[in-house]
Amino acid sequence: ATQILIGFVVMVTPLTGLVGADCGCALGPRGASVCPAVSSSIDAWASPSIENDRLVGFSVAMATVPAGQYTVGTDSPQLPSDGESPARLVRFRRPFRLDTAAVTRGQFAQFVRATGHRTDAETAGESFVPDILVDAETFSDPVVVPGRVANAPWWLPVRGATWRRPAGPASRKSPLESSDSRFRHPAVHVSWRDADAYCRWQGKRLPTEDEWEAACRAGLSDRLFPWGNAPRPGGRHRMNIWQGEFPRLNTADDGYVGTAPVDAYGPQNSFGLYNMVGNVWEWTASRWDRNSAPNELPQRPAASDEMTKKGGSFMCHKSYCYRYRCAARSQNTADTSSANIGFRCAIDVADSD
């Protein structure tokens, strides 16, 4: 199926400069490389013969979003073409619950082990990875990395990149990632269809865009970020976004080059939600519409249908992708996957709860 990445039609151009320092990675503080090797194969996670319940690494918890009236959207859009405006009131007649954190790789492994689910990335044989995360060994193999995305050359289609191997099939393990922490990072390289399948397996669903944004703001109407309007309150990092000069240098001042554990930085708002903005984009149940944010749950979309995602990711920088705000939004087709898209689930609260 045709995949769309960050609004660009995917076309690849020939690779040039296929040696270590030219891979698009940069030098971080004190000259340390921030072009990590990738994790070793973790196929055993999904093996029914391996007991891996203890490796989930982050308990499944849900926060309750009360019924009532909430403000979503903004009258001061930073990216008007994304349909961020206007600010409007929505009302939830019943409360709902939202996962406090994005679904982890360990949790997704349990789903695969129980159901045998095969992701769209696995079926397609490739997924998208930012070049700063691809090690020189992987990058220099033209079979594994056949080119770049034409209008976003920092993105590479990588053969074998999946939720098991987020940066591709190289055998070395990232020095930035311990074996235990891998299970606490968000599941990525999951399409909308994969996320929907996981939530259904859990007896849950994806949140609508309005639900997601209301939860992000925790009931406050004038708020850029889950905690307020300062990107670094008290000089403290509260989210994982691109630090430095995009796309050449990520200084990792916030502690991470790629994804962070799902519980990094502590809860971002009074609802106790982690990493609502930054770290990874999150799928919602809403179809994409630049003129409004449909709140109804859609019929199951076709692979080419565009679905709304929220929250921004570790790839976002104010000069490139200022979408790490509660009101910000973007879209991808339902079969798209990449190293910076994850999800969390929601569930309706029954009258008896």
Side-chain angles (χ1 to χ4, degrees):
T2 301
Q3 291 187 324
I4 307 295
L5 179 65
I6 317 181
F8 295 119
V9 176
V10 172
M11 298 180 290
V12 295
T13 55
L15 292 174
T16 58
L18 297 177
V19 290
D22 295 326
C23 73
C25 304
L27 294 181
R30 298 174 298 281
S33 172
V34 292
C35 183
V38 300
S39 302
S40 58
S41 172
I42 53 175
D43 289 342
W45 286 12
S47 169
S49 64
I50 300 296
E51 179 52 56
N52 57 25
D53 289 350
R54 67 181 179 82
L55 297 175
V56 170
F58 189 82
S59 62
V60 179
M62 302 193 82
T64 298
V65 179
Q69 186 168 273
Y70 294 83
T71 299
V72 297
T74 177
D75 289 328
S76 301
Q78 301 296 314
L79 297 167
S81 62
D82 284 349
E84 297 177 355
S85 61
R88 62 193 183 283
L89 296 176
V90 296
R91 177 175 293 278
F92 303 129
R93 298 185 181 279
R94 297 170 59 182
F96 66 92
R97 294 193 179 112
L98 187 68
D99 289 348
T100 55
V103 172
T104 67
R105 290 162 71 183
Q107 290 163 353
F108 198 79
Q110 290 185 314
F111 162 61
V112 171
R113 184 178 65 174
T115 66
H117 180 84
R118 184 172 174 82
T119 62
D120 278 330
E122 290 169 305
T123 299
E126 68 178 26
S127 190
F128 295 97
V129 182
D131 56 11
I132 201 169
L133 297 184
V134 177
D135 67 56
E137 177 185 351
T138 300
F139 187 89
S140 61
D141 187 336
V143 174
V144 177
V145 183
R148 292 182 182 269
V149 176
N151 294 316
W154 46 87
W155 280 105
L156 307 175
V158 177
R159 301 286 300 175
T162 69
W163 68 271
R164 292 181 171 90
R165 308 179 188 90
S171 60
R172 290 174 293 158
K173 184 175 70 177
S174 169
L176 304 180
E177 187 177 291
S178 71
S179 59
D180 290 338
S181 74
R182 287 178 296 171
F183 297 92
R184 293 171 47 239
H185 283 242
V188 294
H189 297 294
V190 289
S191 69
W192 187 98
R193 301 190 301 182
D194 300 324
D196 177 64
Y198 176 93
C199 291
R200 289 174 183 269
W201 175 71
Q202 286 278 357
K204 302 177 183 179
R205 59 175 174 80
L206 288 168
T208 67
E209 177 177 2
D210 285 350
E211 288 174 337
W212 190 100
E213 188 170 335
C216 184
R217 294 184 175 188
L220 298 184
S221 60
D222 185 16
R223 170 178 289 200
L224 290 176
F225 310 111
W227 55 84
N229 291 328
R232 292 180 58 190
R236 182 165 58 100
H237 287 288
R238 297 296 307 275
M239 57 185 162
N240 176 20
I241 56 176
W242 189 282
Q243 305 293 324
E245 179 186 353
F246 186 87
R248 291 293 304 176
L249 174 66
N250 188 336
T251 62
D253 286 349
D254 56 21
Y256 303 95
V257 174
T259 60
V262 297
D263 54 344
Y265 308 109
Q268 289 183 328
N269 66 16
S270 60
F271 284 171
L273 298 172
Y274 293 82
N275 277 311
M276 287 293 283
V277 295
N279 212 31
V280 293
W281 284 102
E282 296 185 1
W283 291 113
T284 74
S286 300
R287 293 183 187 272
W288 174 254
D289 187 335
R290 281 187 172 85
N291 298 316
S292 62
N295 193 41
E296 72 276 5
L297 294 174
Q299 297 296 317
R300 186 168 175 82
S304 60
D305 287 345
E306 291 190 329
M307 306 302 293
T308 305
K309 58 184 186 179
K310 297 282 285 184
S313 80
F314 66 86
M315 291 290 291
C316 285
H317 184 273
K318 193 166 185 179
S319 69
Y320 155 64
C321 173
Y322 188 36
R323 295 182 174 91
Y324 47 92
R325 296 167 287 110
C326 292
R329 58 202 301 264
S330 190
Q331 86 286 358
N332 281 112
T333 57
D335 66 344
T336 293
S337 63
S338 74
N340 71 337
I341 304 178
F343 68 102
R344 72 183 73 206
C345 304
I347 192 171
D348 297 310
V349 176
D351 292 335
S352 59
D353 287 357

